[in-house]
Amino acid sequence: MTTYRDRAEAGRMLADQLTGLIGEPDVIVLGLVRGGVPVAQVVAERLDAPLDVLVIRKLGMPWAREVAFGALGPDGVQVLNEHVASQLSPEDIAVTNRREQAELERREELYRVGRPPLDLAGRTAVIVDDGLATGA
């Protein structure tokens, strides 16, 4: 695994791999909140592309929250790892969904400050994270 001095260096290194996208009018860079945003900012600057945030929330097992059974995203997107989620009751899943949906909405408001998401229709999205968290 490659390590970097900081997220800015990681962003520069990533952008160096994406030079074919520089100046492309349909490119947008999405930084995963939280750690991916500083990396994405550098990438967006280097690609001369708009930057937006992508707020997602891991759905963690009730007894081990770092173990993901799924994830929530904007506009009601939910992805489940059926193999892992099958170990939970429907009530456990619902409780976790409600908690993480509330946090997702709180963070959307915090990071967007009333600004709507950029339109992704017909765009090439470069989704950036810092890769530091463990889990799925």
Side-chain angles (χ1 to χ4, degrees):
M1 177 170 48
T2 304
T3 57
Y4 304 97
R5 221 177 5 261
D6 54 26
R7 288 181 173 98
E9 180 185 28
R12 288 188 297 274
M13 298 297 290
L14 178 57
D16 286 348
Q17 300 300 310
L18 300 171
T19 57
L21 298 176
I22 294 174
E24 290 292 325
D26 70 329
V27 172
I28 185 169
V29 178
L30 303 174
L32 268 65
V33 168
R34 299 179 325 181
V37 174
V39 181
Q41 181 178 8
V42 174
V43 172
E45 289 169 358
R46 290 251 172 131
L47 298 183
D48 192 26
L51 171 66
D52 204 354
V53 296
L54 182 57
V55 181
I56 59 167
R57 293 297 298 167
K58 174 175 59 179
L59 298 172
M61 300 295 273
W63 56 88
R65 289 190 179 175
E66 70 280 358
V67 177
F69 70 86
L72 297 178
D75 298 325
V77 170
Q78 179 187 52
V79 177
L80 293 180
N81 177 329
E82 295 296 341
H83 177 72
V84 179
S86 68
Q87 299 175 42
L88 298 172
S89 70
E91 183 178 323
D92 283 339
I93 292 173
V95 167
T96 302
N97 275 346
R98 281 192 300 274
R99 181 184 64 244
E100 296 304 333
Q101 183 64 42
E103 181 61 14
L104 185 144
E105 291 169 7
R106 185 189 76 78
R107 288 186 182 203
E108 277 275 330
E109 182 58 34
L110 177 70
Y111 281 90
R112 294 204 173 283
V113 194
R115 181 181 49 82
L118 296 177
D119 185 11
L120 301 180
R123 310 279 310 252
T124 299
V126 177
I127 301 172
V128 179
D129 194 16
D130 65 1
L132 292 178
T134 60

